[in-house]
Amino acid sequence: MGDNKLKVIALGGLGQIGKNMMVIEYDTSMLIVDAGLMFPENDMLGIDIVIPDMSYILERKDKVTGIIITHGHEDHIGALSYLLAEIRAPVYATRLTRGLCQVKLRESRINDVDWHLISPGDLVPLGPFSLEFFHVCHSIPDGVGLAIQTPVGLVVHSGDFKFDHSPADGRPTDFAKLAELGRRGVLLLLSDSTNAESPGYTPSETMVAKTFEEIFSRAQGRVIVATFASNISRIQQVIQTSARYGRRTAIAGRSMSNNVRMAMELGYLDIPERCLLSLDDLQNQPKNHVTVVCTGSQGEPTSALVRMARNEYAAISLVPGDTVVVSSTPIPGNEELVNRTLNNLFRLGADVYYDELLDVHVSGHGSQEELMLMLNMVQPKFFAPIHGEYRHLVLHARLAERVGIPRQNIFVLESGQVLALDQNSAEIAGTVSDEYVLVDGLGVGDVGQVVLEDRRLLSRNGFLVASMVVERGTGRLLAGPDINSRGFVYVRESVELLERARAVVLETVKNGGNRVGLSSQIKEALTRFVYNETKRRPLILAVVLEV
Ligand SMILES: [Zn+2]
Ligand SMILES: [Zn+2]
């Protein structure tokens, strides 16, 4: 690859939902678009979040001329603290997006960020690039798409978008700008594929307002609405509807209240103070005067809704007559947690509404007709679907073919692949490292496949430990062996089995040896013995102490 090519590299978000991050590189300059996280897959035991593999960026720290955040959802900002812990570069975001980032960064104690506030319509020169931001409608206010003038041509990045003509904040996607970009001539369009499976148009957010109206008009007791902490538009709708029905709203959950406070300060949430209620005052209010907005719509174990559903939430115990609205659809992988929560809520006798029953949620992403409208307006020479699992990307590519983009000009990329472009051509030119970086507590990336495999073994079959003390040099047994197990067999009923396991270890160590040799011999012998006896494969550890 010569230096006269533009490189577009998705470090995440292509072939998976979440951890969106894109690098746009020319010569000695690099832009980063978004830095998101992904929620762990079901077999990633004990993992809190997954972030993109940033090694490509970290090896080229000096090249980073700017970080651009399209909007404030976790899958676009959740890895920003990890990125900013490693590199220093100016960060460009709209006001609400910056506010949401700051709430998160404060939690990670990252304070000295070089923020650059942007508004739709702004033109920002950055190295060889010139950036233009345009408003896009999404399930969060203040989202933008990007038009990036590069030395080889114009690149348009849609951000997450839908074409809602009556959105909650009254600001539809900037159609005029998209059409203008199309007239200017677009080399490459990168467009959101999340909803490429849905035919037609995504319904407007106003539809949710109608459903809320219906629910509130019928509700006798308290109304509890669970949604994403970042879904500012939805929170606004709940509070407004509540006020019309003489209810005041309490905000439950730390992330939810942090976001609400910040959005109120910045003017993105229009809530008169008298419409709010503190959690402490909940008990003294008549039930039909109370609404609660909380987190937990994804069944997150520590969230307010899940604790309420398990009757473990101090401020609210649900009773028959209370209404619970789960206003979101489960992110793939969260279905089981969400279902369990719904069942628990039903068990408490609450009236529960969720997506399958009533239109309590609409997607923030455009459906097929909207995706084709985007393609038709922007008229790109080359097209790469972004933000979606592999099938979403392929389906989006087919839509592009349908509106007349030649198949050879469409690139279904997966995270890690490099798309190289000049004025006339585009090609996939290699791959960069694209590992899942797993975050467990404070550890970033220290839990790898080996640790995960151990956790899988442990979760399936438990463990068995043989420990002993031997004489250094001879390997003569001085104490033990002791056999301990957890999660493998019920010890009281398996005394005999563990006794025989002990005999196997004694037999193995009778000729002595050094620590390393003994450990591996014991492990091997026990594995064979345990499998023959039980057809199970617990994690087996041999602890040999030399004195
Ligand atoms: Zn989004
Ligand atoms: Zn997204």
Side-chain angles (χ1 to χ4, degrees):
M1 264 181 290
D3 270 345
N4 55 349
K5 289 223 175 182
L6 180 77
K7 286 192 245 173
V8 175
I9 309 162
L11 295 181
L14 276 69
Q16 65 232 157
I17 294 277
K19 72 179 180 77
N20 296 298
M21 184 176 224
M22 186 155 271
V23 167
I24 294 175
E25 183 180 4
Y26 185 83
D27 201 14
T28 56
S29 297
M30 206 154 91
L31 296 178
I32 299 169
V33 183
D34 290 333
L37 63 72
M38 188 175 110
F39 294 103
E41 289 162 9
N42 282 342
D43 59 350
M44 297 178 180
L45 301 169
I47 296 303
D48 300 325
I49 61 166
V50 184
I51 60 173
D53 182 343
M54 303 182 187
S55 44
Y56 186 81
I57 297 171
L58 301 184
E59 286 155 15
R60 296 163 180 78
K61 282 184 194 185
D62 302 337
K63 284 184 148 194
V64 181
T65 38
I67 301 164
I68 298 120
I69 308 294
T70 59
H71 64 285
H73 278 153
E74 291 279 3
D75 57 326
H76 298 258
I77 70 172
L80 186 60
S81 59
Y82 301 94
L83 179 63
L84 291 178
E86 302 286 340
I87 69 165
R88 234 191 112 71
V91 187
Y92 295 79
T94 58
R95 233 153 54 90
L96 179 64
T97 305
R98 181 181 66 174
L100 288 162
C101 290
Q102 281 171 333
V103 168
K104 288 215 63 105
L105 292 175
R106 220 172 291 141
E107 288 166 11
S108 315
R109 299 205 174 76
I110 293 181
N111 300 309
D112 60 333
V113 178
D114 180 15
W115 286 107
H116 293 250
L117 207 55
I118 51 158
S119 305
D122 284 359
L123 262 173
V124 177
L126 258 181
F129 308 108
S130 171
L131 269 64
E132 200 173 342
F133 302 92
F134 55 89
H135 176 71
V136 288
C137 178
H138 186 37
S139 47
I140 189 169
D142 236 11
V144 290
L146 311 168
I148 308 164
Q149 188 64 57
T150 75
V152 301
L154 188 57
V155 175
V156 174
H157 185 300
S158 72
D160 280 353
F161 77 97
K162 69 191 276 191
F163 287 149
D164 192 339
H165 301 288
S166 49
D169 65 354
R171 297 174 67 209
T173 297
D174 191 347
F175 294 101
K177 173 53 77 180
L178 288 170
E180 185 217 309
L181 293 170
R183 275 195 302 279
R184 258 158 62 186
V186 171
L187 180 71
L188 172 69
L189 171 65
L190 304 159
S191 181
D192 175 15
S193 314
T194 311
N195 257 358
E197 281 175 327
S198 315
Y201 295 88
T202 302
S204 167
E205 183 73 26
T206 17
M207 199 174 77
V208 178
K210 281 195 201 119
T211 313
F212 280 167
E213 199 76 38
E214 228 179 285
I215 292 172
F216 277 87
S217 71
R218 271 189 268 154
Q220 306 288 324
R222 291 167 295 195
V223 179
I224 288 91
V225 183
T227 189
F228 284 112
S230 61
N231 201 334
I232 305 294
S233 314
R234 200 63 51 78
I235 297 168
Q236 174 83 57
Q237 296 217 50
V238 173
I239 296 171
Q240 266 168 0
T241 317
S242 294
R244 270 202 301 283
Y245 286 90
R247 290 172 183 266
R248 292 200 288 157
T249 304
I251 314 291
R254 190 173 47 99
S255 53
M256 189 68 99
S257 19
N258 285 346
N259 282 351
V260 166
R261 201 172 318 122
M262 182 277 305
M264 282 175 73
E265 278 166 25
L266 297 183
Y268 286 89
L269 260 180
D270 179 20
I271 308 174
E273 205 53 56
R274 65 186 151 74
C275 292
L276 288 181
L277 188 63
S278 90
L279 277 179
D280 303 327
D281 292 339
L282 268 186
Q283 315 288 358
N284 323 320
Q285 303 292 318
K287 287 200 163 52
N288 60 352
H289 287 191
V290 171
T291 300
V292 179
V293 178
C294 62
T295 53
S297 61
Q298 295 298 314
E300 306 94 315
T302 57
S303 64
L305 184 73
V306 171
R307 277 148 64 206
M308 273 180 232
R310 291 159 60 182
N311 224 346
E312 289 169 0
Y313 195 70
I316 303 157
S317 24
L318 292 171
V319 293
D322 286 335
T323 300
V324 179
V325 184
V326 180
S327 185
S328 76
T329 44
I331 296 171
N334 291 353
E335 292 90 349
E336 209 183 302
L337 290 170
V338 174
N339 288 341
R340 199 180 307 156
T341 305
L342 290 174
N343 284 326
N344 284 339
L345 292 167
F346 275 102
R347 235 169 240 134
L348 293 172
D351 295 318
V352 190
Y353 298 104
Y354 50 101
D355 209 28
E356 273 88 357
L357 295 180
L358 269 185
D359 297 320
V360 289
H361 174 70
V362 293
S363 169
H365 303 270
S367 300
Q368 291 179 353
E369 296 296 325
E370 292 154 272
L371 300 182
M372 288 192 284
L373 183 53
M374 173 65 93
L375 283 155
N376 270 328
M377 281 194 291
V378 174
Q379 301 272 337
K381 186 175 173 69
F382 299 107
F383 171 62
I386 57 170
H387 303 170
E389 295 189 31
Y390 196 74
R391 65 182 190 281
H392 302 134
L393 304 179
V394 172
L395 291 168
H396 199 178
R398 287 191 195 147
L399 295 174
E401 265 188 81
R402 245 163 76 191
V403 303
I405 298 183
R407 177 175 289 197
Q408 67 272 19
N409 286 9
I410 301 171
F411 294 89
V412 175
L413 304 169
E414 285 199 85
S415 298
Q417 284 186 313
V418 180
L419 183 66
L421 304 105
D422 59 23
Q423 281 93 335
N424 308 307
S425 69
E427 58 173 349
I428 293 177
T431 55
V432 305
S433 162
D434 168 47
E435 299 285 319
Y436 278 32
V437 178
L438 309 175
V439 180
D440 180 5
L442 292 176
V444 180
D446 57 344
V447 174
Q449 283 313 315
V450 176
V451 176
L452 269 191
E453 191 46 43
D454 282 352
R455 287 186 185 179
R456 281 176 205 134
L457 273 180
L458 279 171
S459 75
R460 280 199 293 264
N461 296 311
F463 70 82
L464 186 73
V465 189
S467 46
M468 70 218 67
V469 182
V470 299
E471 189 181 50
R472 192 186 304 276
T474 65
R476 191 167 59 87
L477 191 63
L478 299 176
D482 290 328
I483 306 282
N484 281 293
S485 81
R486 287 288 183 282
F488 163 53
V489 287
Y490 186 50
V491 175
R492 270 208 272 177
E493 286 172 1
S494 310
V495 176
E496 189 248 0
L497 177 74
L498 297 183
E499 205 36 62
R500 279 165 56 215
R502 190 167 178 275
V504 168
V505 177
L506 276 174
E507 177 64 25
T508 311
V509 301
K510 70 170 193 273
N511 295 328
N514 65 12
R515 188 177 56 84
V516 180
L518 283 174
S519 296
S520 72
Q521 282 167 32
I522 293 165
K523 213 174 146 174
E524 224 171 89
L526 273 182
T527 304
R528 207 177 319 117
F529 169 74
V530 164
Y531 186 76
N532 282 340
E533 294 291 320
T534 65
K535 295 287 176 272
R536 295 184 198 172
R537 295 188 187 281
L539 191 74
I540 291 175
L541 297 174
V543 182
V544 179
L545 220 62
E546 282 180 325
V547 293

